[in-house]
């Protein structure tokens, strides 16, 4: 999945959203707390673009944070020491301490719109919200039929 997300619209994202499938996969279940419900902070049954973006970044951040200390090190974010990913990491490390916090990742995503292609694609009726049905349809279009 990472290879397909590293396209021109997502090229500037160190948080490449390998968890987008997890986010939308859980939308098909009613077992609380599913991922859609976790993302729906105001519990209105739909996700604003901001709710979706914040959740996607937080979920991906958590998947990369292997020691679960709420800080991403260069090694966690870029275990292969890829030069492009190192540059992207540095862009997110706004205080230049060699680590990226969730707050830094969220701020970068808001400023640069790194999650906008995913969020906009999922919002098929362009009303500014993603319903559970839209989330399921998005996943189906990216990963095949929901099983």
């Amino acid at each position: 999945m990472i290879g397909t997300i590293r396209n021109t619209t997502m090229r500037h994202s160190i948080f490449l959203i390998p968890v987008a499938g997890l986010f939308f996969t859980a939308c098909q279940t009613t077992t609380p707390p599913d991922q859609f419900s976790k993302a729906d902070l105001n519990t209105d049954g739909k996700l604003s673009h901001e709710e979706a973006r914040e959740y996607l970044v937080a979920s991906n951040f958590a998947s990369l944070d292997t020691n679960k200390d709420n800080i991403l090190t260069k090694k966690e974010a870029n275990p292969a020491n890829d030069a492009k990913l190192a540059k992207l990491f540095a862009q997110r490390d706004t205080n230049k301490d060699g680590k990226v916090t969730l707050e830094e990742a969220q701020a970068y995503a808001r400023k640069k719109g790194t999650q906008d292609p995913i969020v906009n694609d999922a919002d098929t009726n362009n009303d500014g919200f993603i319903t559970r049905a839209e989330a399921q349809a998005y996943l189906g279009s990216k990963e095949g039929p929901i099983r």
Side-chain angles (χ1 to χ4, degrees):
M1 179 169 178
I2 289 176
T4 60
I5 291 188
R6 285 186 187 177
N7 61 32
T8 56
T9 61
M10 296 298 292
R11 190 171 301 175
H12 60 286
S13 178
I14 195 169
F15 305 104
L16 299 172
I17 310 305
V19 295
L22 169 67
F23 167 63
F24 292 121
T25 298
C27 296
Q28 68 186 335
T29 179
T30 57
T31 306
D34 67 65
Q35 302 303 317
F36 189 93
S37 295
K38 285 182 182 179
D40 184 14
L41 298 177
N42 64 3
T43 65
D44 64 354
K46 55 190 174 185
L47 304 181
S48 68
H49 284 207
E50 181 178 320
E51 285 174 318
R53 179 184 58 245
E54 298 287 315
Y55 185 79
L56 288 168
V57 172
S59 295
N60 197 53
F61 185 94
S63 74
L64 294 171
D65 183 16
T66 56
N67 66 356
K68 306 303 178 202
D69 65 353
N70 296 314
I71 295 170
L72 285 183
T73 63
K74 291 176 186 178
K75 184 177 179 181
E76 288 172 315
N78 186 10
N81 204 23
D82 178 88
K84 287 181 184 179
L85 290 178
K87 181 179 177 183
L88 295 171
F89 183 89
Q91 291 172 346
R92 285 155 179 77
D93 181 14
T94 56
N95 66 0
K96 305 304 178 201
D97 65 352
K99 304 172 208 162
V100 173
T101 64
L102 178 58
E103 292 75 23
E104 287 174 313
Q106 296 283 22
Y108 187 86
R110 282 190 296 274
K111 181 178 178 180
K112 298 292 186 177
T114 59
Q115 308 313 313
D116 291 350
I118 293 170
V119 173
N120 291 336
D121 283 351
D123 181 14
T124 56
N125 66 0
N126 299 311
D127 67 351
F129 298 96
I130 301 169
T131 64
R132 190 175 291 267
E134 285 175 316
Q136 290 172 326
Y138 177 81
L139 177 62
S141 73
K142 301 300 178 194
E143 298 291 331
I146 296 174
R147 295 180 181 105

